[in-house]
Amino acid sequence: MAEVYVRVAEEENEEPMEIPSEDDGTVLLSTVSAQFPGACGLRFRSPVSQCMRGVRIVEGVLHAPETGWGNMVYVVNYPKDNKRKMEEIDASSAVKMKRGDMKTSDLIVLGLPWKTTEQDLKDYFSTFGEVIMVQVKRDGRSGNSKGFGFVRFTEYESQEKVIAQRHMIDGRWCDCKFPNSKQGPDEPLRSRKVFVGRCTEDMTTDELRQFFMQYGEVTDVFIPKPFRAFAFVTFADDQVAQSLCGEDLIIKGVSVHISNAEPKHGNRQFDRTGRFGNGFGTVSFCTFLKKTRHWKLLTVLGNFIILYIFLHSGSRTSPFSFCKSN
DNA sequence: GTTGAGCGTT
């Protein structure tokens, strides 16, 4: 098929812009959104029914109506425009709906221009729906952007749209993805305690307790001192704890990340015996040491103790004679 | 003051 230009405009009666189609006659959504940032589709007024019709779109590829693109003016769809339409689309793809859990999570935004600010991000992404969190990651000293950031939407639909396409932000193509920190659906561990990462210093135990109460009874909140940007929250019900694992929750405007309190390679067999509790038992203590990088220190200390024993073994009958009382 | 694939002061 010869190259065809499709006439696209923001509104029906506005001056259209000609958008190039692909060799197969389709039009890529990315081509449209390059000119109309935030676009999620096209619609047109049917000459027959005089009703607005949506252009078929499959995985970011727009397909011409049966009669071809023609000379009609196609109007850009934005996610905000018509929520009812979004729900219809969701209902028609019920299979996909069941698969997803419909919960929003932080998305990483890769490829940001150095100059892009959080306000820029918020302005851009608000065209997809309500934005509840944006971050631009910066170097602590210089304040320079690291070229990536995070965004979180209220609506799951907004998130879906944003992931599905590339984004032209301040002149650069950016990608939005699930961050690596989001653990997939692996086998659940049965701890009642969760690890709360990315805490800020102003979060108190009371505030954390108040916040997590909404999910279930909280039996303990532990914040290490001095400040180390994480906390432990223990629930009465392990199912509550597990249901939160992998989630990004927003506390006082800060996105914290919930994960299992036990490490993945942890010594699970001891837990199952019930001989070690979930509080400050031996296993948990070792886990804590490993997580906080004190493990190596302890190992070094142990080596020194062994060295001490051997150095003093010459004057005694046994290397362990210092253990004896007489 | 520089850069351009990545992953959030655990």
Side-chain angles (χ1 to χ4, degrees), chain A residues 275-288:
Chain A
R275 286 168 56 199
F276 295 92
N278 263 338
F280 293 94
T282 311
V283 174
S284 294
F285 184 61
C286 291
T287 299
F288 176 77

Side-chain angles (χ1 to χ4, degrees), chain A residues 154-173:
Chain A
T154 312
E155 304 291 331
Y156 185 76
E157 289 80 6
S158 315
Q159 170 171 309
E160 288 283 271
K161 282 292 169 205
V162 163
I163 293 172
Q165 69 173 75
R166 303 248 286 155
H167 303 273
M168 178 59 75
I169 302 176
D170 289 341
R172 273 183 63 92
W173 284 111

